[in-house]
Amino acid sequence: MTANDTTPVKSRWRDYEVLATGGGEKLERWGNVLLLRPDPQVIWKPQFELGKYKGLHARYVRSSSGGGYWEKYRSYPDEWQITYNDLTFAVKPMGFKHTGLFPEQATNWDAVRALIAGAKREIRVLNLFAYTGGATVACAKEGAFVTHVDAARGMVDRAKVNCALSRIPSDRVRYIVDDCAKFVSREIKRGKTYDAVIMDPPSYGRGPGGEMWKLEDSIYDLVKLTANVLSENPLFYLINSYTTGLSARVMQNILTLTLPEGRTDGYELCLPTAEKGIVLPCGNSAQKIFAQTQVGATPC
């Protein structure tokens, strides 16, 4: 995908679609399963009562005491698979409204695959806060060697499943269950380097000593720390944020201040919907491309 590519993500997704939005919710099709989930960006009113959509399987209902639960209307598998081009992922309704996949990241998957393919050399990727491995699968499918790091063992186990579903050779991915900042600090001491870094930190988390931290207060130091593991010939750096108020421009500025020279862009991630003229904002990304190339992610 080139920087001028305007092909909508919808045309590449076959197993996922946002059918309708409104009232703080989005109605989605995940393969043959229809789910209704909360979305804080959807502050407009729905065109119809989404909870009564024909064929709806389940709705995530927030609890007044925090968290929430899935209200089931029709039977569906505990877990099923969806595909994006040549990538396959396992999805399932989980806690905190999640399904184990962020479809809007397909824009970034396409971009990093194009960069890796264009490099014409083996690329070592460090994927931090790597969750269930969407970016890991995309990079490894293109031939990169990926170090996948996440503090949650359950998410790392799901990443292994996704890699297997996409037929990623077992020697293409190294799985690490660890605190990301501590792991990077050890890699620096070991003299390990990577040609690309992908980082998708949570809005809130715990530091090495168990202290609470907010992304806004920690993101600068995290990026500055990871700059020390970039190789002498780095390819790209990509950071994602779903934190309300942390804009693409803010993250772009952080990459400009902390990383070597390169082309830096900040952009909003979006998903098209089946509703005419409605595009759903889904978070922000910033990327720095160090190589002399015009390949990059396309803002929505």
Side-chain angles (χ1 to χ4, degrees), residues 87-231:
L87 310 179
T88 301
F89 303 99
V91 296
K92 63 179 297 185
M94 300 189 294
F96 299 101
K97 77 177 182 179
H98 294 304
T99 62
L101 193 66
F102 293 92
E104 64 274 9
Q105 287 293 333
T107 294
N108 285 330
W109 301 339
D110 289 343
V112 297
R113 290 188 68 170
L115 286 166
I116 291 167
K120 300 187 183 305
R121 59 186 170 97
E122 182 171 90
I123 300 299
R124 302 183 305 277
V125 177
L126 176 61
N127 189 9
L128 299 171
F129 308 95
Y131 194 50
T132 60
T136 294
V137 172
C139 292
K141 193 68 173 180
E142 207 58 51
F145 178 83
V146 185
T147 297
H148 176 108
V149 187
D150 197 283
R153 183 174 297 276
M155 295 301 102
V156 174
D157 288 341
R158 291 193 67 81
K160 293 177 181 179
V161 170
N162 287 330
C163 284
L165 289 173
S166 291
R167 301 182 183 275
I168 303 300
S170 59
D171 62 351
R172 289 288 87 191
V173 182
R174 177 173 61 140
Y175 302 97
I176 305 292
V177 179
D178 201 352
D179 174 89
C180 290
K182 290 199 296 184
F183 175 78
V184 170
S185 295
R186 287 196 295 270
E187 289 291 83
I188 294 170
K189 292 179 181 179
R190 290 188 283 253
K192 300 289 186 180
T193 60
Y194 298 86
D195 304 303
V197 174
I198 299 172
M199 186 158 63
D200 196 351
S203 298
Y204 299 92
R206 292 187 179 275
E211 68 277 9
M212 291 295 296
W213 58 272
K214 292 198 308 180
L215 182 59
E216 298 96 318
D217 299 333
S218 307
I219 187 62
Y220 181 89
D221 290 336
L222 278 170
V223 176
K224 189 174 182 180
L225 178 67
T226 56
N228 294 295
V229 295
L230 287 172
S231 68

Side-chain angles (χ1 to χ4, degrees), residues 46-113:
Q47 299 301 303
F48 59 90
E49 192 169 346
L50 302 185
K52 293 185 177 180
Y53 189 82
K54 183 179 180 180
L56 179 64
H57 289 83
R59 181 183 202 170
Y60 189 84
V61 181
R62 291 193 181 279
S63 171
S64 58
S65 59
Y69 60 94
W70 286 96
E71 189 172 75
K72 194 171 183 178
Y73 301 126
R74 302 175 65 197
S75 63
Y76 55 86
D78 290 337
E79 182 172 304
W80 63 99
Q81 299 171 14
I82 65 171
T83 61
Y84 177 78
N85 291 338
D86 57 347
L87 310 179
T88 301
F89 303 99
V91 296
K92 63 179 297 185
M94 300 189 294
F96 299 101
K97 77 177 182 179
H98 294 304
T99 62
L101 193 66
F102 293 92
E104 64 274 9
Q105 287 293 333
T107 294
N108 285 330
W109 301 339
D110 289 343
V112 297
R113 290 188 68 170

